Amino acid sequence: MRKTSMFKVLSLVLSAAVLLPGSVFAEGSGVNMDEQTVRIAIPFDPSTMEPWATMGDGRIDVIRHVYEYMFDYEKIGGDLLPSIASGYEQVDDTTYRVTIYDNIKDSAGNPITADDVKFSYESTIEIGNQAIGVNTIDHMDVIDDTTIDFVFNTTAAGAFANAMTNTAIVDKEAYEADPDHFASNPVGTGPYVMDEFIPGSSISFTKRDDYWQSEEDCARLSEANIGHVIYKVIPEASQLTIALESGDVDIAYYIASSDTHRFEDVEGFHLAALPKDLAEVILFNCDPSNVFASKELRQAVCYAIDSAAVLQTVYDGAGGVCKTYGSPLFADFNEKWNEEDYYDYDADKAKELLAQAGYPDGISVRLMTDNSPVHTRMAQVLQSMLSAAGINVEILSYDGTLINTYRFDPTQFDLYIANKSSFDYITSVWKFSFDQVAYKGKTLNFYVDEDLQKMLETALDAKTHTEENIDAVHYALKDLALGYGICYGTNYIAYNDKVSELAIDFKTRVVGGACIFNPEAFE
Amino acid sequence: MYRYILKRLLLMIPVLIGVTILIFTIMYFTPGDPATQILGSNATLEQLEAKRQELGLNDSYFVRLGRYMKDVFLHFDFGNSYINGRSVSKDIFSRYPQTFIIAFFSIAFALLIGIPLGVIAATNQNKLGDHVAMLISLIGVSMPNFWVGLMLVIWFALELKWLPATGIGAPRYYVLPCAACALNGIASIARQTRSGMLEVIRADYIVTARSKGQTENKVIYRHALCNALIPVVTSAAGAFGSLLGGALVIETVFAIPGLGTYMVSAINNRDYPAIQGSVFFVALTFSIIMLLVDLLYAFIDPRIKAQYQGNARIKV
């Protein structure tokens, strides 16, 4: 009798919770769930809609709906496609004259002029969160309402393109009038307006009726092919998959490779595999006091790593093996490197080099890694591989911030796992690790080599960014083995029948509203 | 009684000042540079130095502590997040309702099931009812709540399609997270109720109640259970306070933007204002809950109420 009463009470509580009207608790997404809505699951929180905040993964996923840039890359390091800007001409080595459209208006109806462009860049530089893309700008001169000169402090290849594709353009008065600086209520020139942003949960957009650009001149990624776009933040990998299977979302990013079989060749679902531009690499501590000051020892480690096996273990074989210090997706990657030896796995050679380095009986080293699942697995695989070659590895696992701090301290590690990419060229990937100007006269991993620096600077310069010079740096880095590119993975995006074609930007992110949809699936 | 409450409220001030200094000091000495997290792994040393300067991270410990204490206690301003630039107070208040709903309904659910289970076990000691109730509680304690959460999702969201798997909004979004979160609570409350009941059930006043001819239900629920509830209330309040600090695993599994995920993300990013603000808020909440629990004791046990009143009289 007592049990029956208890179950009745429980049933009542559960039923009340299920049936209570939504008005009691505010509905999370806040938009009408009509048929012309695409729902997209992403694992990372956009965090803020401020135009020039740090570009985390979640922000990159959604920001393109509200804000636009001067140009879009066709692909990494590829041609520039007009967006806010209608074209440009190079005036001299460091000066570019850019023309913007004369009819640009943001979602609040404010016209965008060259003064707003200048303000947007100056703010980005001053705030400093996206310094990598804009710190090459020396100054800007506004010529008239639609023309602006960008003067750079360098002739580096990609400097102009990087600057043009990384700063959101907003209206100066509107931005300054908002005490929140658009963090919660963004006003941009993009084809959508933000309806609601619940940090950590969801963000929704509605198509603008008054979008400024004409259909024929509209940039591919600025197309608005559906009325509403809702991004749902689902950090847990299996829940991401379940959300798509249960129809809660229509597109899901970053599907785990172990879950791809649930969508591959399954009726009603499609799977896109996009190779990552982010390469998994190791960097050696080349400080003179460290054991890895020895080139032979560095080379021994490179030979002891079976990159294909690492790829198989860490990414289930989805992706590729690196043939330089970086992934092969960049425009200046030389295809011939794919045919060449790049420390292809050779245990005997590793042992031989270990002996040459003065460690015939083996050595113990400290491998630093962040505690992400991918890098943790990779560290364990490397530990096992290096152990077979006689190198005993102690794994030091830290959170991401600690890694970013300790990597500047040569006493903290002997080698570490990192991932490296750039916005444009493979030479930029090398620059971010081995430019001795950026790290006070040493590479990121404490190596000093004037010849290497000269070679790198030559390859980075737009006028001498030639195959020959890029080759020279590649072969020098390969010989010195300051770092070693292991492999790169694949991003899986699964979607249902409502989507017929994904719109993907150069950062390999889906721009939800610009996808092409299948109207029949909405009926 | 009022004097007691006022005294406890005043005592919260040094507690909160102590917590603020402690968490600030811990974060000051915790390795990890927020500037590297803001600018990313490709930033140059010069850019990192400029960012540290801008954030005031190069100032001395006492300058930074003084600035922070002034902002918190004079302006009630926890500052803005290093990562998203938003006000930390706003962020906390936007996430707190979700955390509160989960904590409240999980504890309510745990009490609603755990107490009857414990009573059944105690009144049927070493009999079938006891074994079944304890088996249920053993299962509850043994299953990790993230696993239970995922199982509930697969069954109720994916197979039956009765309830949503993730997100927030209408009440139905909270049913699965609360159920998953309550399971461990049910088990521990059932075990504590059983143990408390077994202690009081043999007490003289229970024998007296029975000898007066009172019904078994009255003896159990009016006389025995009330006296066995003090440790259960203490334990449930502790669990409630902890859940208000964020049920991290449940929030992650069910994609709920609560305080737990906010704090962990802040810690990972060395977002000092967000960490310090969240810990302050959790300490404040916990202090208030403990005060409420002490007051609840008085309602459950008249002897404690008499003590409070007695103390007040002595002070006067």
Side-chain angles (χ1 to χ4, degrees), chain A residues 194-209:
Chain A
M194 196 192 81
D195 296 320
E196 189 180 39
F197 177 26
I198 303 173
S201 179
S202 64
I203 185 163
S204 56
F205 303 98
T206 294
K207 183 177 175 175
R208 272 175 70 181
D209 295 330

Side-chain angles (χ1 to χ4, degrees), chain B:
Chain B
M1 191 71 163
Y2 295 116
R3 187 173 287 270
Y4 173 78
I5 295 171
L6 185 66
K7 189 176 134 193
R8 287 291 301 270
L9 286 173
L10 288 174
L11 269 175
M12 279 165 59
I13 296 171
V15 168
L16 292 175
I17 291 175
V19 166
T20 307
I21 294 173
L22 189 66
I23 188 65
F24 184 91
T25 307
I26 290 171
M27 291 318 300
Y28 182 85
F29 288 107
T30 301
D33 182 359
T36 62
Q37 205 60 9
I38 296 167
L39 296 181
S41 61
N42 290 338
T44 64
L45 289 174
E46 196 183 334
Q47 289 160 352
L48 289 169
E49 184 52 35
K51 183 54 77 177
R52 274 194 288 269
Q53 192 67 33
E54 181 199 324
L55 297 175
L57 297 174
N58 291 335
D59 294 337
S60 72
Y61 168 79
F62 290 107
V63 170
R64 284 172 59 190
L65 176 64
R67 194 166 51 216
Y68 185 68
M69 297 291 280
K70 189 177 143 198
D71 286 344
V72 170
F73 290 101
L74 296 185
H75 307 117
F76 205 67
D77 177 11
F78 293 101
N80 289 355
S81 159
Y82 287 165
I83 302 300
N84 62 35
R86 278 198 309 270
S87 152
V88 167
S89 314
K90 272 189 189 169
D91 270 350
I92 291 172
F93 286 119
S94 77
R95 285 168 180 264
Y96 193 66
Q98 286 81 255
T99 300
F100 184 83
I101 289 170
I102 293 176
F104 181 80
F105 283 103
S106 301
I107 290 296
F109 206 53
L111 289 170
L112 211 63
I113 298 175
I115 291 176
L117 264 183
V119 171
I120 291 167
T123 52
N124 296 282
Q125 193 187 7
N126 297 329
K127 292 180 191 163
L128 182 65
D130 186 16
H131 296 314
V132 171
M134 285 304 100
L135 182 70
I136 292 171
S137 87
L138 183 68
I139 292 169
V141 162
S142 311
M143 288 192 294
N145 55 9
F146 73 88
W147 182 82
V148 174
L150 285 174
M151 291 302 110
L152 291 174
V153 164
I154 289 170
W155 185 247
F156 289 101
L158 195 57
E159 298 296 328
L160 297 173
K161 297 191 189 300
W162 286 359
L163 294 163
T166 53
I168 55 169
R172 60 200 176 93
Y173 282 90
Y174 292 95
V175 174
L176 294 183
C178 290
C181 202
L183 203 67
N184 283 353
I186 290 171
S188 70
I189 285 171
R191 294 172 84 85
Q192 275 198 335
T193 308
R194 178 182 182 271
S195 135
M197 283 291 286
L198 286 176
E199 262 182 45
V200 298
I201 216 160
R202 295 183 187 90
D204 291 345
Y205 59 87
I206 297 295
V207 177
T208 309
R210 281 207 178 100
S211 62
K212 277 163 65 184
Q214 294 210 327
T215 61
E216 187 62 13
N217 272 353
K218 254 190 182 172
V219 171
I220 297 296
Y221 290 102
R222 185 167 294 176
H223 296 282
L225 184 58
C226 277
N227 286 292
L229 272 184
I230 294 283
V232 176
V233 168
T234 310
S235 154
F240 185 51
S242 302
L243 285 174
L244 284 178
L248 172 69
V249 175
I250 291 298
E251 286 174 11
T252 305
V253 168
F254 290 96
I256 293 168
L259 214 51
T261 46
Y262 182 70
M263 282 174 76
V264 170
S265 159
I267 290 166
N268 286 338
N269 290 319
R270 300 295 189 278
D271 191 350
Y272 295 157
I275 300 168
Q276 288 156 187
S278 316
V279 172
F280 180 92
F281 198 76
V282 169
L284 178 67
T285 311
F286 209 88
S287 302
I288 292 170
I289 287 170
M290 285 303 127
L291 172 61
L292 293 176
V293 167
D294 283 352
L295 297 178
L296 193 60
Y297 288 158
F299 286 98
I300 294 172
D301 191 338
R303 289 170 298 182
I304 297 174
K305 191 176 183 179
Q307 260 180 7
Y308 291 163
Q309 286 166 342
N311 281 344
R313 273 198 296 274
I314 289 164
K315 296 280 179 214
V316 169

Side-chain angles (χ1 to χ4, degrees), chain A residues 109 142 170 188 222 265 295 323 356 394-395 431 464 515:
Chain A
V142 172
V170 302
S222 293
D265 301 326
K295 184 169 101 174
K323 285 293 186 176
Q356 275 181 36
E394 179 195 355
I395 296 173
K431 176 189 161 189
T464 48
C515 292

Side-chain angles (χ1 to χ4, degrees), chain A residues 195-230:
Chain A
D195 296 320
E196 189 180 39
F197 177 26
I198 303 173
S201 179
S202 64
I203 185 163
S204 56
F205 303 98
T206 294
K207 183 177 175 175
R208 272 175 70 181
D209 295 330
D210 59 345
Y211 180 55
W212 59 275
Q213 186 57 290
S214 63
E215 251 180 61
E216 59 269 23
D217 288 331
C218 187
R220 171 71 188 91
L221 297 178
S222 293
E223 287 177 16
N225 293 326
I226 196 160
H228 304 279
V229 182
I230 300 174

Side-chain angles (χ1 to χ4, degrees), chain A residues 61-127:
Chain A
D61 290 333
V62 305
I63 201 164
R64 195 63 179 70
H65 290 80
V66 172
Y67 298 115
E68 289 174 310
Y69 306 106
M70 296 291 273
F71 291 91
D72 290 320
Y73 263 130
E74 181 198 18
K75 59 173 188 175
I76 291 178
D79 292 336
L80 291 177
L81 307 172
S83 183
I84 292 274
S86 55
Y88 73 92
E89 60 172 312
Q90 187 166 2
V91 178
D92 59 39
D93 284 351
T94 54
T95 308
Y96 293 79
R97 177 157 295 179
V98 182
T99 311
I100 63 170
Y101 286 99
D102 60 4
N103 60 333
I104 309 165
K105 284 193 174 172
D106 67 19
S107 56
N110 305 303
I112 301 293
T113 64
D115 283 322
D116 296 312
V117 172
K118 186 180 181 192
F119 167 75
S120 300
Y121 276 92
E122 283 174 346
S123 302
T124 310
I125 293 164
E126 188 191 332
I127 291 169

Side-chain angles (χ1 to χ4, degrees), chain A residues 80 83 95 121 130 163 172 283 290 327 366 413 424 430 440 477 498:
Chain A
L80 291 177
S83 183
T95 308
Y121 276 92
Q130 297 168 21
K172 182 183 176 189
L283 270 161
N290 193 277
S327 95
R366 297 164 299 161
F413 67 96
D424 44 25
W430 299 337
K440 294 188 177 169
L477 286 177
K498 287 183 181 173

